[in-house]
Amino acid sequence: MTVSLTLDSVTAHYGSTQVLKDLSLAVEAGELVSLLGSSGCGKTTTLRLVAGFLEPTSGSIRLGERDLTRLPAHQRNIGLVFQNYALFPHLSVRDNVAFGLKQRGLSATERLKKADAMLERVGLASFAERMPSALSGGQKQRVALARALVIEPPLLMFDEPLSNLDAKLRIDMRVEIRRLQRANGTTSLYVTHDQEEAFSISDRVAIMNAGRIMQLDRPEVLYQRPANSFVARFVGFENLIPMQVSARDGANVTARTEAGAALALSQDAFGAIPDRFVLAARPDGLAVTRAGEGTPAGIPVTLGIRTYLGRAYQYQCSTPGGDYLGNGPLSEPLEPGSAAVLAPVPEQCCILPPEG
Amino acid sequence: MRTSLHPALTITASLIFAILVAPLFIILGASVSDTSYLTFPPQGITLRWFTNIFEISAFRTTAITSLQIALLGTALALLIGIPAAYALNRFRIRLPSWLANVFVLPILVPEIVLGFSLLKSVTISLGLPVFIVLLLGHALLVLPYAVRVVGASLASFDFSIEEAAISLGCPPLKTFFTVVLPNISAGVIAAFILAFITSMNDVSVSLFLTGPGISTLPIQILAHMEQFFDPTIASVSVLLMILTVGVMAIVEATLGLTFLTK
């Protein structure tokens, strides 16, 4: 039983503050979608709306054919995994897992059988009699996962489930979560502020900011081809250079930075270039070469601090229009203070619409 | 390895301890004195003042009233106090900050004023039976303990546990009884004990609310002392002391005394 989750133009307020703005989102059946963003971006609000702990001001939430919008939280049948585990401290591990089954009116023997089978699946069969306080963080989260999965919900939701675990355990647990989610084919919504976590675990990721989804796509696309400056900055495009086209000659375009430096760009390499755009590049995407005879045209810069990255040198480059980060080859270390040019590497750069 | 205490600290602590315990020993001594008036040190030893308690029917009836009032009043205070404490903690962000202080007012207002205002507004104007008025007065008096102590327990309660239960299909009210209450039971018991003892010991509020035929034990002790000034008072006090020590011993054995001070 796999179903899709659909949020249609959902708006939400805390008091008079609007925290979600006309948010639409479709999670396909069996898919794991992450909501990624910094705190206050609305990702947790979205999850709480779907869970039924908050009510939207307008818009609708559907799970398959079922309209959840005004349904009380306890009737929604959604498995939830919390950041702080939220295990029942007064119940044993087994009773924690069986809690949801009890609410569904299963007999004691059935509850026992299902709970133990689920504990087996998360590798905690021998811990059934323990109290939650006697478990480690990782074990607690496994119990929480078992408790959410055992009710066989059509939708699983995770609210920063790995934030309280140490780095090594976090990686193990996300593999575990993905394995169980895949095996059951449960549609899932995953909230996190950790980019690596979101990218590694998800089919698709929604990057959120100020109550909106800035881009929703596969991690590969988000990482390589951000759609706007916000997403570009989020995934590590440290150089965002606003530019304006000054001349066009077939596929060849001349564009200038705000400080007036000219770049020759080919639409064959960069794709279509509008009249105003932002050139986005990671340090990898801006090649630093010594200024002098025979160097390609580029943005003239003065080099600042040089750092050794192992595969390249990275330079702080200052121009009258702003500072950039570029990489240069190990074969030719350049001294701070010397003049150089920055040239965009087409396959490492993105042409984005202007901001604002 | 033991760290040795500074002599000044040992002396001060011993002195404070002595000052705290001394009156209890004086009462104990006075209660067995073979004289017809309260005195210390005791002159001779007798248990007749203890038997005297049971010969005066007023002590028995007022003790029963006191127990009834303390039990019912505390129960009533918890019935109001637990939901109030829950709401104050659960919706802390949305509620005005002064609201929590409203529930402490009965402690802040001088008890004598509380008693007097209850006499004027409830006993006289509504004409309710004395027992009911006494019960309401005591419930109000101990309500702050219920709200504060249960509230302290709820302050460390993680409300996402409640959300977990709801997400697993448990309706909100049932969630309160199956998930919230079992996890704050220590606070509820502590609140019960504190409120019960406060109610049992109260004089000022009861003074105004007792009426013809109905009185509480502390008021009876007061009345008896005014009339007779004999060691019966001391022996009643000893019995009350034993009761308190008994309750504390049970608490210590089951939960540990430290949880009352948490």
Side-chain angles (χ1 to χ4, degrees), chain A residues 93-110:
Chain A
V93 165
R94 179 183 286 132
D95 288 343
N96 261 280
V97 176
F99 187 90
L101 301 172
K102 197 172 177 183
Q103 307 310 316
R104 281 159 180 72
L106 268 70
S107 71
T109 41
E110 259 182 297

Side-chain angles (χ1 to χ4, degrees), chain A residues 3-295:
Chain A
V3 294
S4 59
L5 170 71
T6 319
L7 279 77
D8 193 17
S9 304
V10 172
T11 302
H13 291 78
Y14 281 133
S16 57
T17 323
Q18 194 178 37
V19 285
L20 281 192
K21 290 160 187 158
D22 208 24
L23 184 128
S24 294
L25 169 69
V27 182
E28 304 300 328
E31 189 183 34
L32 192 155
V33 167
S34 285
L35 302 179
L36 173 65
S38 49
S39 64
C41 72
K43 57 188 193 299
T44 298
T45 303
T46 308
L47 179 132
R48 295 179 64 79
L49 280 166
V50 177
F53 301 139
L54 290 174
E55 255 195 51
T57 324
S58 63
S60 72
I61 302 166
R62 274 178 294 117
L63 188 57
E65 297 302 306
R66 238 168 17 123
D67 185 2
L68 296 185
T69 319
R70 306 285 164 209
L71 201 66
H74 69 277
Q75 293 173 7
R76 294 197 178 191
N77 198 21
I78 294 171
L80 260 172
V81 179
F82 295 82
Q83 176 175 354
N84 51 4
Y85 325 122
L87 298 179
F88 307 124
H90 63 299
L91 297 179
S92 69
V93 165
R94 179 183 286 132
D95 288 343
N96 261 280
V97 176
F99 187 90
L101 301 172
K102 197 172 177 183
Q103 307 310 316
R104 281 159 180 72
L106 268 70
S107 71
T109 41
E110 259 182 297
R111 295 204 296 266
L112 189 75
K113 208 178 102 198
K114 286 202 171 199
D116 281 355
M118 186 49 76
L119 282 171
E120 183 81 43
R121 283 187 66 190
V122 297
L124 286 177
S126 54
F127 292 81
E129 311 287 340
R130 289 217 196 168
M131 296 306 277
S133 55
L135 299 181
S136 72
Q139 290 166 339
K140 281 181 190 171
Q141 201 54 294
R142 276 167 207 270
V143 176
L145 194 58
R147 184 179 67 176
L149 280 168
V150 79
I151 60 172
E152 293 168 21
L155 178 68
L156 264 178
M157 294 204 293
F158 300 86
D159 186 7
E160 307 256 6
L162 309 180
S163 300
N164 288 358
L165 305 177
D166 62 49
K168 163 90 175 68
L169 205 55
R170 219 177 289 169
I171 293 170
D172 294 349
M173 272 305 288
R174 76 186 186 211
V175 172
E176 180 84 2
I177 287 175
R178 186 59 163 157
R179 181 178 71 78
L180 288 164
Q181 187 266 338
R182 273 274 173 82
N184 289 25
T186 314
T187 311
S188 301
L189 193 63
Y190 191 105
V191 163
T192 179
H193 66 272
D194 184 325
Q195 186 186 322
E196 186 192 312
E197 188 177 314
F199 279 21
S200 65
I201 205 170
S202 315
D203 293 305
R204 286 189 301 156
V205 176
I207 295 182
M208 291 186 69
N209 180 42
R212 295 173 200 277
I213 292 177
M214 304 307 289
Q215 191 175 356
L216 169 61
D217 220 318
R218 292 187 299 114
E220 294 87 342
V221 176
L222 290 172
Y223 194 79
Q224 297 296 335
R225 292 280 162 238
N228 50 59
S229 300
F230 180 85
V231 176
R233 213 173 273 123
F234 201 92
V235 298
F237 284 77
E238 286 170 76
N239 305 295
L240 292 176
I241 312 173
M243 303 201 82
Q244 193 148 17
V245 172
S246 58
R248 290 180 185 273
D249 174 20
N252 296 322
V253 168
T254 307
R256 290 182 184 277
T257 66
E258 279 164 352
L263 278 181
L265 306 170
S266 161
Q267 296 196 88
D268 294 335
F270 286 93
I273 297 174
D275 282 348
R276 288 185 64 235
F277 64 95
V278 169
L279 180 73
R282 294 195 171 85
D284 274 347
L286 291 181
V288 176
T289 40
R290 184 192 302 277
E293 306 246 335
T295 49

